[in-house]
Amino acid sequence: MEEDSHSQSASLKEFYIPSYVLLLDSESETVPDVPRCPVLVFINSKSGGQLGGDLLVTYRSLLNKNQVFDVGEEAPDKALRRIYLNLETLKANGDAYATQIQERLRIIVAGGDGTAGWLLGVVCDLKLSHPPPIATVPLGTGNNLPFAFGWGKKNPGTDRHAVEQFLRHVMNAKEMKIDNWHILMRMRAPKEGSCDPIAPLELPHSLHAFGRVSATDELNKEGYHTFRGGFWNYFSMGMDAQVSYAFHSERKLHPEKFKNQLVNQSTYAKLGCTQGWFFASLVHPSSHNIAQLAKVKVMKKCGQWRDLEIPSSIRSIVCLNLPSFSGGLNPWGTPNTKKSQYKDFTPPYVDDGLLEVVGFRDAWHGLVLYAPSGHGTRLAQAHRICFEFHKGGADHTFMRIDGEPWKQPLPVDDDTVVVEISHHGQVNILATRDCQSKSVRDPSSSPSQHGTEDCQSDDDSSHGGEEHRKFGAAETFKIPEDIDISHIS
């Protein structure tokens, strides 16, 4: 038994970070060899019922408690700011150990898709020359991000054995790039009332980046409300977001009813029935169908917008970055390019600078995704997408970013309501060897065509500026003026 304990302790040293590397002005200490896979762990203790709290306890018992963070106690941008400033100070003093820690550093985030998106956005905002790659622990309801990169979609074990096994997978994981996307919404300020997004009570994490821009933001226009944010997995609009909104609202009002993943998923299905998603043709007003609500334009090549024809029966539209939606389903599938209607389509690569645009009529239509080759109505692959809402089409709609929904009021007398999505950048993510996501950088994928150069059309000069270059997830992250962040590696 003592040998087993010693072996386990030795293996954990490969992930352990000494306190002097993590804390400012801490005492120097004798340190072992540089770990092969030093990790910072961020856990949402409120995710997964009590699983998040249990996981936090286990990680802190196995590693240095100072390298394990509860995002509810300390925001990840603040924690990373402190750690990276300390690393820069140590490196400036010639500390080779700290330099190697920084070069090998990996991040683990445990929570729902919102928490994972929050961490990805923070790392994106840091603008590091060699940002640490991120592994995602499936601790939420949908778990689309973890599933897309091979980490599974079931809530993990929280005991010592399960955590040690996950750490070994992190050490052996491969790095991939993942696209991220900027979303902008603009409308005239209404004569009365508010057009701010109506969240389901307290909003989870990823949508904290979706809010009204400041008066000094270059995106701001006098007399208009302008909102901005970003996403990693998908943006959806329509009835699927309405059902999600009902679920999140119910969970916030009655958290005691949502203690495990199975209960959450069954409740979600029940709400799909009560909201009319299964009988949309009978209870859903046709005026809220996507084609009646908005005109959609897409850009695949730089500066070339075209109108996208949306079938009149489509009640939900999804702009998808990853091949994982609603708990691991793939709405795009693999198009047969021999068919004329799919000749310009490619498989869904996560780093090709393109979104897959898919439509659904109702929940029954969504059930086709459970078939081996099932897919939604493929509409387009686009580098940019623009929704122009028809004046008076509706007084509200429902939208969703990475699983987190809101109710969006629309001024009925405004013909300038637009939502535009554009490619923003990329970060590094960790994937297991058998992940389902595909990369254009993988020689075995051999795409016939993929990606487009990151571009802005001539009529889009307003989308420039520092605020657009930031993803928006790390508003409190500030590097002192005497440190050049571009040299942080």
Side-chain angles (χ1 to χ4, degrees):
M1 291 294 291
E2 289 185 5
E3 288 185 5
D4 289 344
S5 177
H6 177 76
S7 176
Q8 288 176 339
S9 177
S11 66
L12 289 172
K13 289 180 180 179
E14 301 291 0
F15 308 96
Y16 186 91
I17 302 178
S19 291
Y20 93 95
V21 175
L22 302 164
L23 303 175
L24 295 170
D25 302 321
S26 60
E27 296 181 3
S28 59
E29 55 187 293
T30 303
V31 295
D33 294 336
V34 180
R36 287 174 56 198
C37 184
V39 295
L40 296 175
V41 184
F42 294 89
I43 299 174
N44 186 345
S45 61
K46 295 182 179 180
S47 289
Q50 67 178 24
L51 293 179
D54 293 345
L55 203 60
L56 185 71
V57 171
T58 304
Y59 269 102
R60 284 180 171 172
S61 70
L62 296 178
L63 302 174
N64 185 341
K65 64 179 182 180
N66 294 310
Q67 72 187 96
V68 183
F69 305 90
D70 183 346
V71 297
E73 296 175 356
E74 183 176 17
D77 49 315
K78 293 182 179 180
L80 288 172
R81 175 184 187 273
R82 172 169 50 79
I83 291 169
Y84 270 90
L85 289 178
N86 195 43
L87 284 168
E88 285 302 302
T89 300
L90 294 171
K91 287 168 60 179
N93 293 332
D95 190 322
Y97 188 94
T99 300
Q100 292 184 67
I101 289 284
Q102 191 169 351
E103 291 173 350
R104 301 179 184 184
L105 187 63
R106 295 187 165 195
I107 288 178
I108 296 172
V109 54
D113 285 328
T115 306
W118 189 13
L119 257 296
L120 287 166
V122 167
V123 172
C124 179
D125 278 352
L126 303 190
K127 303 298 183 188
L128 306 176
S129 56
H130 297 288
I134 299 172
T136 55
V137 181
L139 208 59
T141 301
N143 297 321
N144 291 295
L145 267 164
F147 182 74
F149 293 95
W151 301 105
K153 57 183 177 181
K154 293 182 179 179
N155 294 156
T158 60
D159 56 73
R160 176 180 181 127
H161 175 74
V163 168
E164 288 186 344
Q165 187 177 41
F166 189 87
L167 285 169
R168 287 192 291 272
H169 287 318
V170 170
M171 180 185 291
N172 296 322
K174 63 180 180 179
E175 290 189 37
M176 293 180 67
K177 296 286 186 182
I178 177 178
D179 292 323
N180 56 50
W181 298 85
H182 181 263
I183 181 169
L184 175 141
M185 180 168 62
R186 179 174 289 140
M187 63 189 71
R188 284 197 184 96
K191 296 177 181 178
E192 57 182 33
S194 172
C195 277
D196 285 13
I198 302 172
L201 305 183
E202 292 182 10
L203 201 64
H205 294 299
S206 70
L207 272 184
H208 81 289
F210 190 86
R212 193 183 305 187
V213 302
S214 66
T216 57
D217 192 320
E218 289 188 25
L219 294 175
N220 183 61
K221 282 189 176 183
E222 187 175 354
Y224 290 81
H225 289 332
T226 303
F227 303 87
R228 64 177 298 277
F231 65 95
W232 303 90
N233 190 359
Y234 66 88
F235 166 82
S236 72
M237 182 173 66
M239 204 160 184
D240 77 296
Q242 178 180 330
V243 175
S244 180
Y245 181 85
F247 171 82
H248 279 265
S249 298
E250 182 72 12
R251 185 167 63 175
K252 289 293 184 180
L253 288 170
H254 304 287
E256 71 281 358
K257 298 179 180 179
F258 298 82
K259 290 298 185 181
N260 63 67
Q261 192 176 40
L262 185 61
V263 170
N264 291 356
Q265 290 172 342
S266 63
T267 302
Y268 202 103
K270 291 177 183 177
L271 285 170
C273 292
T274 59
Q275 293 292 313
W277 187 212
F278 280 93
F279 308 98
S281 60
L282 299 177
V283 300
H284 184 76
S286 60
S287 61
H288 287 201
N289 290 7
I290 302 302
Q292 285 72 41
L293 192 64
K295 178 181 179 181
V296 184
K297 297 191 298 184
V298 295
M299 178 194 295
K300 188 164 186 177
K301 295 185 177 180
C302 195
Q304 298 180 9
W305 288 100
R306 69 175 178 86
D307 292 339
L308 183 63
E309 183 178 347
I310 306 292
S312 60
S313 60
I314 295 298
R315 297 178 178 87
S316 179
I317 191 167
V318 182
C319 305
L320 193 67
N321 187 40
L322 306 180
S324 182
F325 178 73
S326 292
L329 302 175
N330 185 353
W332 185 258
T334 303
N336 183 350
T337 55
K338 294 181 180 178
K339 294 184 178 181
S340 59
Q341 69 267 38
Y342 298 147
K343 63 182 178 64
D344 294 328
F345 291 158
T346 71
Y349 300 104
V350 299
D351 54 355
D352 61 356
L354 296 174
L355 285 171
E356 283 68 46
V357 186
V358 184
F360 291 98
R361 298 185 299 273
D362 51 29
W364 298 112
H365 188 190
L367 291 178
V368 303
L369 301 182
Y370 289 96
S373 58
H375 60 86
T377 301
R378 299 184 182 111
L379 299 172
Q381 287 178 300
H383 185 66
R384 302 183 74 162
I385 305 167
C386 182
F387 298 88
E388 298 177 348
F389 287 84
H390 302 314
K391 182 176 181 179
D395 60 3
H396 73 275
T397 189
F398 292 90
M399 300 181 182
R400 184 160 59 144
I401 288 179
D402 289 354
E404 298 180 0
W406 74 98
K407 183 179 181 179
Q408 182 57 55
L410 300 170
V412 295
D413 58 349
D414 186 0
D415 58 358
T416 66
V417 180
V418 297
V419 172
E420 186 167 332
I421 299 169
S422 56
H423 187 255
H424 180 78
Q426 294 182 329
V427 295
N428 297 326
I429 199 163
L430 289 169
T432 65
R433 298 296 171 182
D434 57 351
C435 80
Q436 65 169 344
S437 294
K438 297 181 179 180
S439 167
V440 295
R441 294 173 172 82
D442 183 356
S444 64
S445 66
S446 302
S448 57
Q449 56 173 326
H450 55 76
T452 56
E453 66 273 25
D454 198 357
C455 61
Q456 292 186 341
S457 57
D458 294 338
D459 61 352
D460 191 47
S461 59
S462 65
H463 286 220
E466 179 61 27
E467 287 299 323
H468 181 61
R469 290 194 297 272
K470 289 178 61 180
F471 193 71
E475 292 302 324
T476 62
F477 189 92
K478 302 292 182 185
I479 291 290
E481 294 181 359
D482 58 340
I483 291 182
D484 183 358
I485 193 169
S486 63
H487 296 306
I488 297 179
S489 59

